Amino acid sequence: MSTSRSQRYLSSEMDFTASTTGLFYTLICLLNIQATKAATFDVLGPEGPVVATVGGEALLTCRLSPGLSAQGMEIRWYRRHSDAIALLFRRGTVHEEQQLPEYHGRTQLLTDAIVNGSVTLRIHPVRVTDDGQYRCYFESDTYHNEAELELMVTGFNSDPDIRLEGNHDGGIRVVCESTGWYPAPEVLWLEDGGKSLLRASEVKTQDKDGLFKVESGVVMTKESKRALACHLRNPLTQQDEVSTICVSETFFVTFSPWVVVLSVVLVIWILLCLLFLGAFWKQNQAKRIILAELGWRRARGHAVRVTLDPETAHHELILSADQKVVTRGNTIQDVEDSDQRFSLMPAVLGTEMFSSDKHYWEADVGNGTWWVLGASYESAQRRGGIRFNPTEGFWVLQLISGEYCALTSPQKTSLTVQERLQKVGVYLDFEKGQLSFYNADTMTLIYTFSDSFTQDIRPFFCLWGNGAQIKLCF
């Protein structure tokens, strides 16, 4: 009896344990299902397409349902149906390095409502290429989902141009032109009273930004209504822009045969005048070339031998043994400093001094890209910073950044040089107070300074850039 009672007790204990274990597992499953259900979410985009104007801003908003906080989530905006990223938001930061290049500097993630699961991609300024499908993707630690949305880009011109283009096929051609449209606009011509003109020519072209230009034309006859309207409509927004024009009957002139004959005679006379003027211009041009060459040859008849004065050379300039070549070095030369030497500007004077008569010398500037040459007073400043102009005693020509100019005062004078200067001739007429520069290769005059010289004049040379070089020709 005691044994039977013990067995019943053990059996009852095991039934209670099994029941408790089953209840525990059921509770765990319910909690897991509830946790999984709480971790899932839907992503909702706008109900319809988002419309944005070229040059304006586009706001593409996506939100979570239910409204969970998306602060700790990874959020991506994909372009169309690809994995190309328009914006990546991870760990509270936008990662621009993974963006498509065309979105750099134009995108921003608006996160004012991110704790409620709502974020907005702002694109500014909007381009035509932004048009199309996007996907917004949200990913938490346990779940991810996405939504698709569409951006429709539009552009229009509120000021179409309408104009007359003269007689055409027995009437007056009227042209309507407008730019900056997207998509390409529809064009409709209406006469006064609302009658549509179907015989219109039309040309549509697209620029590098994807915007359309449209040019449409119709021919108005004498029988047409005087008022004409050009309607341009954006097929996406159905927005209309209209330009009108009124054409007076005086534009429709009937020409007599005599008018035609006189017109032909007038055209022939004008052509003959143009031919005569062209021949006259060519003759004068040839004359100017000959006179310029003669002037150069007269100047070269006063050629003198010029050498470089080592006592005046800047400490980074290297002079050849015969003192005919100066080169810009990159180290300081072991030379004695003195008041005669240029201390700051990489310049050197010619040894010769001129106080009267006419003198000509030539310098080969090679392929140098930054140089100054001409003449200066013997007493001109050599220490510290120098302003190269006649007021300071310098009459010089300069090449810098591909631009030739005469350093006149108070402002420099830009020069038009047809061919790159290789050999530059400098001609001094002391009594006339003139210093002229020639292209010695083409024998043409470049520029002439006119002044009144009161002191001894010396040749002047200045050059920048390591390895730059100037050679005296004789």
Side-chain angles (χ1 to χ4, degrees):
M1 183 69 179
S2 176
T3 302
S4 176
R5 186 178 298 165
S6 296
Q7 289 176 344
R8 285 198 301 270
Y9 175 78
L10 289 174
S11 177
S12 175
E13 186 72 22
M14 290 176 65
D15 289 343
F16 175 78
T17 301
S19 176
T20 304
T21 302
L23 182 62
F24 175 75
Y25 279 119
T26 300
L27 181 61
I28 291 298
C29 289
L30 289 173
L31 289 174
N32 284 338
I33 291 171
Q34 191 66 26
T36 302
K37 187 174 181 180
T40 62
F41 52 82
D42 292 324
V43 181
L44 305 178
E47 293 184 358
V50 176
V51 180
T53 304
V54 173
E57 69 171 10
L59 299 175
L60 306 178
T61 300
C62 283
R63 60 186 178 84
L64 300 180
S65 178
L68 307 173
S69 173
Q71 281 183 312
M73 295 187 184
E74 180 173 311
I75 304 172
R76 301 185 186 184
W77 290 85
Y78 291 107
R79 190 70 171 92
R80 298 185 179 91
H81 297 290
S82 68
D83 291 331
I85 295 176
L87 184 138
L88 171 61
F89 179 82
R90 180 190 293 150
R91 299 187 184 93
T93 304
V94 173
H95 296 264
E96 293 186 353
E97 69 279 2
Q98 297 191 37
Q99 278 183 300
L100 287 167
E102 58 264 31
Y103 288 97
H104 285 177
R106 295 195 304 122
T107 57
Q108 180 184 4
L109 189 66
L110 306 182
T111 58
D112 294 344
I114 194 170
V115 294
N116 298 320
S118 178
V119 293
T120 299
L121 174 65
R122 179 179 183 264
I123 304 175
H124 178 79
V126 172
R127 299 174 182 171
V128 168
T129 53
D130 296 330
D131 185 86
Q133 300 289 328
Y134 290 79
R135 291 185 292 133
C136 53
Y137 171 90
F138 289 72
E139 181 179 330
S140 67
D141 293 335
T142 59
Y143 191 73
H144 63 85
N145 209 340
E146 65 181 25
E148 290 190 356
L149 60 161
E150 182 179 6
L151 173 62
M152 299 177 68
V153 176
T154 181
F156 65 93
N157 189 335
S158 61
D159 189 23
D161 176 49
I162 189 168
R163 65 185 186 274
L164 300 179
E165 284 198 347
N167 291 278
H168 184 84
D169 291 342
I172 301 295
R173 178 173 166 80
V174 186
V175 174
C176 181
E177 181 179 288
S178 188
T179 59
W181 289 84
Y182 188 84
E186 301 168 351
V187 184
L188 179 66
W189 288 91
L190 296 178
E191 286 187 331
D192 188 15
K195 180 183 176 182
S196 174
L197 298 178
L198 301 179
R199 296 183 60 188
S201 64
E202 190 174 298
V203 177
K204 296 177 181 177
T205 56
Q206 203 168 8
D207 63 20
K208 61 181 179 62
D209 295 321
L211 298 174
F212 284 93
K213 171 184 176 182
V214 62
E215 182 177 304
S216 180
V218 295
V219 176
M220 291 186 67
T221 63
K222 194 171 183 179
E223 292 73 27
S224 303
K225 301 291 185 180
R226 301 282 75 82
L228 190 63
C230 172
H231 292 249
L232 290 96
R233 174 174 296 174
N234 187 308
L236 181 62
T237 62
Q238 298 299 306
Q239 183 171 359
D240 270 3
E241 299 298 334
V242 183
S243 284
T244 60
I245 191 170
C246 292
V247 182
S248 171
E249 288 188 7
T250 57
F251 281 92
F252 300 93
V253 180
T254 303
F255 293 101
S256 69
W258 282 108
V259 173
V260 176
V261 171
L262 289 175
S263 299
V264 172
V265 171
L266 180 61
V267 170
I268 293 174
W269 182 79
I270 292 174
L271 290 175
L272 290 174
C273 288
L274 291 175
L275 289 173
F276 173 77
L277 291 174
F280 181 74
W281 180 84
K282 286 183 179 180
Q283 185 180 14
N284 278 349
Q285 186 74 359
K287 184 178 179 180
R288 283 195 294 269
I289 292 174
I290 293 173
L291 289 176
E293 182 178 340
L294 288 175
W296 174 79
R297 291 189 182 279
R298 282 196 296 268
R300 205 170 191 275
H302 298 278
V304 294
R305 183 178 183 274
V306 172
T307 56
L308 302 170
D309 183 0
E311 299 298 323
T312 65
H314 183 266
H315 54 73
E316 289 184 359
L317 297 182
I318 303 171
L319 304 187
S320 63
D322 60 358
Q323 298 177 4
K324 303 291 285 185
V325 181
V326 56
T327 305
R328 177 71 187 275
N330 56 7
T331 58
I332 297 177
Q333 306 300 307
D334 185 15
V335 294
E336 181 181 354
D337 195 15
S338 70
D339 292 340
Q340 299 299 313
R341 192 178 304 281
F342 286 95
S343 64
L344 186 60
M345 295 298 182
V348 61
L349 294 178
T351 306
E352 293 70 25
M353 285 186 283
F354 308 114
S355 57
S356 62
D357 298 330
K358 302 178 180 68
H359 309 277
Y360 176 90
W361 61 93
E362 278 183 10
D364 188 338
V365 295
N367 295 319
T369 58
W370 191 356
W371 48 258
V372 181
L373 63 83
S376 74
Y377 276 145
E378 157 64 18
S379 62
Q381 181 181 349
R382 304 177 198 173
R383 311 296 292 177
I386 304 172
R387 294 174 60 87
F388 295 138
N389 60 51
T391 304
E392 303 296 328
F394 292 88
W395 296 266
V396 292
L397 193 73
Q398 173 183 270
L399 168 65
I400 180 173
S401 300
E403 178 188 4
Y404 294 94
C405 58
L407 299 186
T408 49
S409 181
Q411 294 180 336
K412 66 182 181 180
T413 301
S414 296
L415 303 175
T416 300
V417 178
Q418 300 298 331
E419 299 180 14
R420 181 185 178 89
L421 295 180
Q422 182 82 27
K423 290 184 180 179
V424 181
V426 184
Y427 176 57
L428 170 66
D429 189 331
F430 196 95
E431 278 71 23
K432 281 189 175 181
Q434 292 183 343
L435 189 77
S436 300
F437 294 87
Y438 289 89
N439 183 337
D441 291 317
T442 61
M443 299 174 286
T444 54
L445 178 66
I446 302 171
Y447 186 79
T448 297
F449 284 95
S450 294
D451 213 323
S452 177
F453 301 133
T454 59
Q455 302 178 32
D456 290 347
I457 295 287
R458 299 180 69 174
F460 173 84
F461 310 91
C462 184
L463 64 168
W464 279 263
N466 292 336
Q469 192 175 82
I470 295 177
K471 300 178 183 179
L472 297 176
C473 297
F474 43 79

